[in-house]
Every structure is written in C-alpha cells, then in structure tokens.
Amino acid sequence: KIVAPEDIHKPHDSKTCVICQKPSTSKCSACKGVNYCGPQCQRLDWPSHKPECLKIKQTLDLMKVNNVVIGP
C-alpha cells in the first residue's frame, strides 16, 4: 500500500517506511532523517525529499565543522 502524496512525511511510526509503511530497513544516507523499506521507495520519495534533505545535510555539515554535538 502506497501512502497518499499528501500524507507523505506526516508523523508516522519511525520504524516504518515513509512511502509504504512497511518496516524500514534503511534511512536517507544524506540526512538520516527519513526511513525507507528499500531503494525503490527512496527513489520514489527523492523528488519531494530532496529540498528538505539538502537543507538538513547542509546544517549537519556546518555543525560538524563547528564541532557542535547533539545528544548524549
């Protein structure tokens, strides 16, 4: 079952794929913020996830450069 486009990226179980809601096996390799069940769903999501992903990745890179640590 594919999630309706308007429901993608709405809060959901963090252990499920953002596209099909199957158990996730991976995260976005760039931002680590979105779960996927595999490459097919990740490719389907890329056009909508790309703008957000690039912003998150840029922020994470800046934090790394400036030695900012999040969490324990």
Coordinates of all heavy atoms in Angstrom, one line a residue:
K1 N 0.8 -1.2 0.0 CA 0.0 0.0 0.0 C 0.9 1.2 0.0 O 1.7 1.4 0.9 CB -0.9 0.0 1.3 CG -1.7 1.2 1.4 CD -2.4 1.3 2.8 CE -2.9 2.7 3.0 NZ -3.1 3.0 4.4
I2 N 0.7 2.1 -1.0 CA 1.5 3.3 -1.1 C 0.7 4.4 -0.4 O -0.5 4.5 -0.5 CB 1.7 3.7 -2.5 CG1 2.5 2.6 -3.3 CG2 2.4 5.1 -2.6 CD1 3.9 2.4 -2.8
V3 N 1.4 5.2 0.4 CA 0.8 6.3 1.1 C 0.4 7.4 0.2 O 1.1 7.7 -0.8 CB 1.8 6.9 2.2 CG1 1.2 8.1 2.9 CG2 2.1 5.8 3.2
A4 N -0.8 8.1 0.4 CA -1.2 9.2 -0.4 C -0.2 10.3 -0.4 O 0.4 10.6 0.7 CB -2.6 9.7 0.0
P5 N 0.1 11.0 -1.5 CA 1.1 12.0 -1.5 C 1.0 13.1 -0.4 O 1.9 13.5 0.1 CB 0.9 12.7 -2.9 CG 0.3 11.6 -3.7 CD -0.5 10.8 -2.8
E6 N -0.3 13.4 -0.1 CA -0.5 14.5 0.9 C -0.1 13.9 2.3 O 0.1 14.7 3.3 CB -1.9 15.0 0.9 CG -3.0 14.0 1.2 CD -3.5 13.2 -0.1 OE1 -2.8 13.3 -1.1 OE2 -4.5 12.6 0.1
D7 N 0.0 12.6 2.5 CA 0.3 12.1 3.8 C 1.8 11.7 4.0 O 2.2 11.4 5.1 CB -0.5 10.8 4.1 CG -2.0 11.1 4.2 OD1 -2.3 12.3 4.7 OD2 -2.8 10.3 3.9
I8 N 2.6 11.8 2.9 CA 4.0 11.5 3.0 C 4.6 12.6 3.9 O 4.4 13.8 3.8 CB 4.7 11.5 1.6 CG1 4.1 10.3 0.8 CG2 6.2 11.5 1.7 CD1 4.6 10.3 -0.6
H9 N 5.5 12.1 4.7 CA 6.3 12.9 5.7 C 5.4 13.5 6.8 O 5.9 14.3 7.6 CB 7.0 14.1 5.0 CG 8.1 13.6 4.1 ND1 9.2 12.9 4.5 CD2 8.1 13.5 2.7 CE1 9.9 12.5 3.4 NE2 9.3 12.9 2.4
K10 N 4.2 13.0 7.0 CA 3.4 13.3 8.2 C 3.9 12.4 9.3 O 4.5 11.4 9.0 CB 1.9 13.1 8.0 CG 1.3 14.2 7.1 CD -0.2 14.0 7.1 CE -0.9 15.1 6.3 NZ -2.3 14.9 6.2
P11 N 3.8 12.8 10.5 CA 4.3 11.9 11.6 C 3.8 10.5 11.4 O 2.6 10.3 11.1 CB 3.7 12.6 12.8 CG 3.5 14.0 12.5 CD 3.1 14.0 11.0
H12 N 4.7 9.6 11.6 CA 4.3 8.2 11.5 C 5.3 7.4 12.4 O 6.2 7.9 12.9 CB 4.4 7.7 10.0 CG 5.8 7.7 9.5 ND1 6.4 8.9 9.1 CD2 6.7 6.7 9.2 CE1 7.7 8.6 8.7 NE2 7.8 7.3 8.8
D13 N 5.1 6.1 12.5 CA 6.0 5.3 13.2 C 7.4 5.3 12.6 O 7.6 5.1 11.5 CB 5.4 3.8 13.1 CG 6.3 2.8 13.9 OD1 7.4 3.2 14.4 OD2 5.9 1.7 13.9
S14 N 8.3 5.7 13.5 CA 9.7 5.9 13.0 C 10.4 4.6 12.5 O 11.5 4.7 12.0 CB 10.5 6.6 14.0 OG 10.7 5.8 15.1
K15 N 9.7 3.5 12.7 CA 10.3 2.2 12.2 C 9.7 1.7 11.0 O 9.9 0.6 10.5 CB 10.1 1.2 13.3 CG 10.9 1.5 14.6 CD 10.7 0.5 15.7 CE 11.4 1.0 16.9 NZ 11.1 0.2 18.1
T16 N 8.9 2.6 10.3 CA 8.3 2.2 9.1 C 8.7 3.2 7.9 O 9.1 4.3 8.1 CB 6.7 2.3 9.2 OG1 6.3 3.6 9.5 CG2 6.2 1.3 10.2
C17 N 8.6 2.6 6.7 CA 8.9 3.4 5.5 C 7.9 4.5 5.3 O 6.7 4.4 5.5 CB 8.8 2.4 4.3 SG 9.1 3.2 2.7
V18 N 8.5 5.7 5.0 CA 7.7 6.9 4.9 C 6.7 6.8 3.7 O 5.7 7.5 3.6 CB 8.6 8.2 4.8 CG1 9.3 8.2 3.5 CG2 7.8 9.4 5.0
I19 N 7.0 5.9 2.7 CA 6.2 5.8 1.5 C 5.2 4.7 1.6 O 4.0 4.9 1.4 CB 7.1 5.5 0.3 CG1 8.1 6.7 0.0 CG2 6.3 5.2 -1.0 CD1 7.4 7.9 -0.4
C20 N 5.6 3.5 2.0 CA 4.6 2.4 2.0 C 4.2 1.9 3.4 O 3.4 1.0 3.5 CB 5.2 1.2 1.2 SG 6.6 0.5 1.9
Q21 N 4.9 2.4 4.4 CA 4.6 2.0 5.8 C 5.0 0.5 6.2 O 4.7 0.0 7.2 CB 3.1 2.2 6.2 CG 2.6 3.6 6.0 CD 3.3 4.6 6.8 OE1 3.4 4.5 8.0 NE2 3.9 5.6 6.1
K22 N 5.8 -0.1 5.3 CA 6.4 -1.4 5.6 C 7.5 -1.1 6.6 O 8.0 0.0 6.7 CB 7.0 -2.1 4.4 CG 5.9 -2.6 3.4 CD 6.6 -3.2 2.2 CE 5.6 -3.6 1.2 NZ 6.2 -4.2 0.0
P23 N 8.0 -2.2 7.3 CA 9.1 -2.0 8.3 C 10.3 -1.4 7.5 O 10.6 -1.8 6.4 CB 9.4 -3.4 8.8 CG 8.1 -4.1 8.6 CD 7.5 -3.6 7.4
S24 N 11.0 -0.4 8.1 CA 12.1 0.2 7.4 C 13.4 -0.6 7.6 O 13.5 -1.2 8.7 CB 12.3 1.7 7.9 OG 12.6 1.7 9.3
T25 N 14.2 -0.5 6.6 CA 15.5 -1.2 6.7 C 16.6 -0.3 6.5 O 17.8 -0.6 6.6 CB 15.6 -2.3 5.6 OG1 15.4 -1.7 4.3 CG2 14.5 -3.4 5.8
S26 N 16.3 1.0 6.1 CA 17.4 2.0 5.9 C 16.8 3.4 6.1 O 15.6 3.6 6.2 CB 18.0 1.8 4.5 OG 17.0 2.1 3.5
K27 N 17.8 4.3 6.2 CA 17.4 5.8 6.3 C 18.1 6.5 5.1 O 19.0 6.0 4.5 CB 18.0 6.3 7.6 CG 17.4 5.8 8.8 CD 18.0 6.5 10.1 CE 17.4 6.0 11.3 NZ 16.3 6.8 11.8
C28 N 17.6 7.7 4.9 CA 18.2 8.5 3.9 C 19.7 8.6 4.2 O 20.1 8.9 5.4 CB 17.6 9.9 3.9 SG 18.5 11.1 2.8
S29 N 20.6 8.3 3.3 CA 22.0 8.3 3.6 C 22.6 9.7 3.8 O 23.6 9.8 4.5 CB 22.8 7.6 2.4 OG 22.6 8.3 1.2
A30 N 22.0 10.7 3.3 CA 22.5 12.1 3.5 C 22.1 12.7 4.8 O 22.9 13.1 5.6 CB 22.0 12.9 2.3
C31 N 20.8 12.7 5.1 CA 20.3 13.4 6.3 C 19.9 12.5 7.4 O 19.8 13.0 8.6 CB 19.1 14.3 5.9 SG 17.5 13.4 5.7
K32 N 19.8 11.2 7.2 CA 19.4 10.2 8.2 C 18.1 10.5 8.9 O 17.8 10.0 9.9 CB 20.5 10.1 9.3 CG 21.9 10.1 8.8 CD 22.3 8.7 8.3 CE 23.7 8.6 8.1 NZ 24.1 8.5 6.7
G33 N 17.3 11.3 8.2 CA 16.0 11.7 8.9 C 14.8 11.1 8.4 O 13.7 11.3 8.9
V34 N 14.9 10.2 7.3 CA 13.7 9.6 6.8 C 14.0 8.1 6.6 O 15.0 7.7 6.1 CB 13.3 10.3 5.4 CG1 12.1 9.7 4.8 CG2 13.2 11.8 5.5
N35 N 13.0 7.3 7.0 CA 13.1 5.9 6.9 C 12.5 5.3 5.6 O 11.4 5.8 5.2 CB 12.4 5.2 8.1 CG 13.1 5.6 9.4 OD1 14.3 5.5 9.5 ND2 12.3 6.0 10.3
Y36 N 13.1 4.3 5.1 CA 12.6 3.6 3.8 C 12.7 2.1 4.0 O 13.6 1.6 4.7 CB 13.5 4.0 2.6 CG 13.4 5.5 2.3 CD1 14.5 6.3 2.6 CD2 12.3 6.1 1.8 CE1 14.4 7.7 2.4 CE2 12.2 7.4 1.5 CZ 13.3 8.2 1.8 OH 13.2 9.6 1.6
C37 N 11.9 1.4 3.3 CA 12.0 -0.1 3.2 C 13.0 -0.6 2.2 O 13.4 -1.7 2.3 CB 10.6 -0.7 2.9 SG 10.0 -0.3 1.3
G38 N 13.4 0.3 1.3 CA 14.4 -0.1 0.3 C 14.6 1.0 -0.7 O 14.0 2.1 -0.7
P39 N 15.5 0.7 -1.7 CA 15.8 1.7 -2.7 C 14.7 2.2 -3.5 O 14.6 3.4 -3.9 CB 16.9 1.0 -3.6 CG 17.3 -0.2 -2.8 CD 16.2 -0.5 -1.8
Q40 N 13.7 1.3 -3.8 CA 12.6 1.7 -4.7 C 11.8 2.9 -4.0 O 11.5 3.9 -4.7 CB 11.7 0.5 -5.0 CG 10.5 0.9 -5.9 CD 9.7 -0.3 -6.2 OE1 9.8 -1.4 -5.6 NE2 8.8 -0.1 -7.2
C41 N 11.4 2.7 -2.8 CA 10.7 3.8 -2.1 C 11.5 5.0 -1.9 O 11.0 6.2 -2.0 CB 10.1 3.3 -0.7 SG 8.7 2.2 -0.9
Q42 N 12.8 4.9 -1.7 CA 13.7 6.0 -1.5 C 13.7 6.8 -2.9 O 13.7 8.0 -2.8 CB 15.1 5.6 -1.1 CG 16.0 6.8 -0.8 CD 17.3 6.4 -0.1 OE1 17.6 5.2 0.1 NE2 18.0 7.3 0.3
R43 N 13.8 6.1 -4.0 CA 13.8 6.8 -5.3 C 12.5 7.5 -5.5 O 12.4 8.6 -6.1 CB 14.1 5.8 -6.4 CG 15.6 5.5 -6.6 CD 15.9 4.8 -7.9 NE 15.3 3.4 -7.9 CZ 16.0 2.4 -7.4 NH1 17.1 2.5 -6.8 NH2 15.4 1.2 -7.4
L44 N 11.4 6.8 -5.2 CA 10.0 7.5 -5.3 C 9.9 8.7 -4.5 O 9.3 9.7 -4.9 CB 8.9 6.5 -4.9 CG 8.6 5.4 -5.8 CD1 7.6 4.4 -5.1 CD2 7.9 5.9 -7.1
D45 N 10.5 8.8 -3.3 CA 10.4 9.9 -2.4 C 11.4 11.0 -2.8 O 11.2 12.2 -2.4 CB 10.6 9.4 -1.0 CG 10.3 10.5 0.0 OD1 9.3 11.3 -0.2 OD2 11.0 10.6 1.0
W46 N 12.5 10.7 -3.5 CA 13.5 11.7 -3.7 C 13.1 13.1 -4.2 O 13.5 14.1 -3.7 CB 14.7 11.1 -4.5 CG 15.8 12.1 -4.7 CD1 16.3 12.7 -5.9 CD2 16.7 12.6 -3.7 NE1 17.3 13.5 -5.6 CE2 17.6 13.5 -4.3 CE3 16.7 12.5 -2.3 CZ2 18.5 14.2 -3.5 CZ3 17.6 13.2 -1.5 CH2 18.6 14.0 -2.2
P47 N 12.2 13.1 -5.2 CA 11.8 14.5 -5.7 C 11.2 15.3 -4.6 O 11.4 16.6 -4.6 CB 10.8 14.2 -6.8 CG 11.2 12.8 -7.3 CD 11.6 12.1 -6.0
S48 N 10.4 14.8 -3.7 CA 9.8 15.6 -2.6 C 10.7 15.8 -1.4 O 10.7 16.8 -0.7 CB 8.5 15.0 -2.2 OG 8.6 13.8 -1.5
H49 N 11.6 14.8 -1.2 CA 12.5 14.8 0.0 C 13.8 15.7 -0.3 O 14.3 16.3 0.6 CB 12.9 13.4 0.4 CG 13.9 13.4 1.5 ND1 13.6 13.9 2.7 CD2 15.2 12.8 1.5 CE1 14.7 13.7 3.5 NE2 15.6 13.1 2.8
K50 N 14.2 15.8 -1.6 CA 15.4 16.4 -1.9 C 15.6 17.8 -1.3 O 16.7 18.1 -0.7 CB 15.6 16.5 -3.4 CG 16.9 17.0 -3.9 CD 17.0 17.0 -5.4 CE 18.3 17.6 -5.9 NZ 18.4 17.6 -7.4
P51 N 14.7 18.8 -1.5 CA 14.9 20.1 -1.0 C 15.1 20.1 0.6 O 16.1 20.8 1.1 CB 13.6 20.9 -1.3 CG 13.0 20.1 -2.4 CD 13.4 18.7 -2.2
E52 N 14.3 19.4 1.3 CA 14.5 19.3 2.7 C 15.8 18.6 3.1 O 16.5 19.0 4.0 CB 13.3 18.5 3.3 CG 13.4 18.2 4.8 CD 12.3 17.3 5.3 OE1 11.7 16.6 4.5 OE2 12.2 17.2 6.5
C53 N 16.1 17.5 2.4 CA 17.3 16.8 2.7 C 18.6 17.6 2.5 O 19.5 17.6 3.4 CB 17.4 15.6 1.7 SG 18.8 14.5 2.0
L54 N 18.6 18.4 1.5 CA 19.8 19.2 1.2 C 20.0 20.3 2.3 O 21.1 20.5 2.7 CB 19.7 19.9 -0.2 CG 19.7 18.9 -1.4 CD1 19.5 19.6 -2.7 CD2 21.0 18.1 -1.4
K55 N 18.9 20.8 2.8 CA 19.0 21.8 3.9 C 19.5 21.1 5.2 O 20.3 21.7 5.9 CB 17.6 22.5 4.1 CG 17.2 23.4 3.1 CD 15.8 24.0 3.4 CE 15.2 24.7 2.2 NZ 13.8 25.1 2.4
I56 N 18.9 20.0 5.5 CA 19.3 19.3 6.7 C 20.8 18.9 6.6 O 21.6 19.0 7.5 CB 18.4 18.0 6.9 CG1 17.0 18.4 7.2 CG2 19.0 17.1 8.0 CD1 16.0 17.3 7.2
K57 N 21.2 18.3 5.4 CA 22.6 17.9 5.2 C 23.5 19.1 5.4 O 24.6 19.0 6.0 CB 22.7 17.3 3.8 CG 24.1 16.9 3.5 CD 24.5 15.6 4.1 CE 25.8 15.0 3.4 NZ 27.0 15.4 4.1
Q58 N 23.2 20.2 4.8 CA 24.0 21.4 4.9 C 24.1 21.9 6.4 O 25.2 22.2 6.9 CB 23.4 22.6 4.1 CG 24.2 23.8 4.1 CD 23.6 24.9 3.3 OE1 22.4 25.1 3.2 NE2 24.4 25.7 2.6
T59 N 23.1 21.8 7.2 CA 23.1 22.2 8.6 C 24.0 21.2 9.3 O 24.8 21.6 10.2 CB 21.7 22.2 9.2 OG1 20.9 23.2 8.5 CG2 21.7 22.5 10.6
L60 N 23.8 19.9 9.1 CA 24.6 18.9 9.8 C 26.1 19.1 9.4 O 27.0 18.9 10.3 CB 24.2 17.5 9.4 CG 22.8 17.0 9.9 CD1 22.4 15.7 9.3 CD2 22.8 17.0 11.4
D61 N 26.4 19.4 8.2 CA 27.8 19.6 7.8 C 28.4 20.8 8.5 O 29.5 20.8 9.0 CB 27.9 19.8 6.3 CG 27.7 18.5 5.5 OD1 27.7 17.4 6.2 OD2 27.5 18.6 4.3
L62 N 27.6 21.9 8.7 CA 28.1 23.1 9.4 C 28.3 22.8 10.9 O 29.3 23.2 11.5 CB 27.1 24.2 9.2 CG 27.1 25.0 7.9 CD1 25.9 25.9 7.8 CD2 28.4 25.7 7.7
M63 N 27.4 22.0 11.4 CA 27.5 21.6 12.8 C 28.8 20.8 13.0 O 29.5 21.0 14.0 CB 26.3 20.9 13.3 CG 25.1 21.8 13.4 SD 23.5 20.8 13.7 CE 23.8 20.3 15.3
K64 N 29.1 19.9 12.1 CA 30.3 19.1 12.2 C 31.5 19.9 12.1 O 32.5 19.7 12.9 CB 30.2 18.0 11.1 CG 31.3 17.0 11.2 CD 31.0 15.9 10.1 CE 32.0 14.7 10.3 NZ 31.7 13.7 9.3
V65 N 31.5 20.9 11.2 CA 32.7 21.7 11.0 C 32.9 22.6 12.3 O 34.1 22.8 12.7 CB 32.5 22.7 9.8 CG1 33.5 23.8 9.8 CG2 32.6 21.9 8.5
N66 N 31.8 23.0 12.9 CA 31.9 23.8 14.1 C 31.9 23.0 15.4 O 31.8 23.6 16.5 CB 30.8 24.8 14.2 CG 30.9 25.8 13.1 OD1 32.0 26.5 12.9 ND2 29.9 26.0 12.2
N67 N 32.1 21.7 15.3 CA 32.2 20.8 16.5 C 30.9 20.9 17.4 O 31.1 20.8 18.6 CB 33.4 21.0 17.3 CG 34.7 20.7 16.5 OD1 34.7 19.7 15.9 ND2 35.7 21.6 16.5
V68 N 29.8 21.0 16.8 CA 28.5 21.1 17.6 C 28.1 19.6 17.8 O 28.0 18.9 16.8 CB 27.4 21.9 16.9 CG1 26.1 21.9 17.6 CG2 27.9 23.4 16.7
V69 N 27.8 19.3 19.0 CA 27.3 17.9 19.3 C 25.9 17.9 19.7 O 25.5 18.8 20.6 CB 28.2 17.3 20.4 CG1 27.7 15.9 20.8 CG2 29.6 17.3 20.0
I70 N 25.1 17.0 19.2 CA 23.7 16.9 19.6 C 23.5 15.6 20.3 O 24.0 14.5 19.9 CB 22.7 16.9 18.4 CG1 22.8 18.2 17.6 CG2 21.3 16.7 18.8 CD1 22.1 18.3 16.4
G71 N 22.8 15.6 21.4 CA 22.5 14.4 22.2 C 23.7 14.0 23.1 O 24.7 14.7 23.2
P72 N 23.5 12.8 23.7 CA 24.5 12.3 24.7 C 25.8 11.9 24.0 O 25.9 11.6 22.9 CB 23.8 11.1 25.3 CG 22.6 10.8 24.5 CD 22.3 12.0 23.6

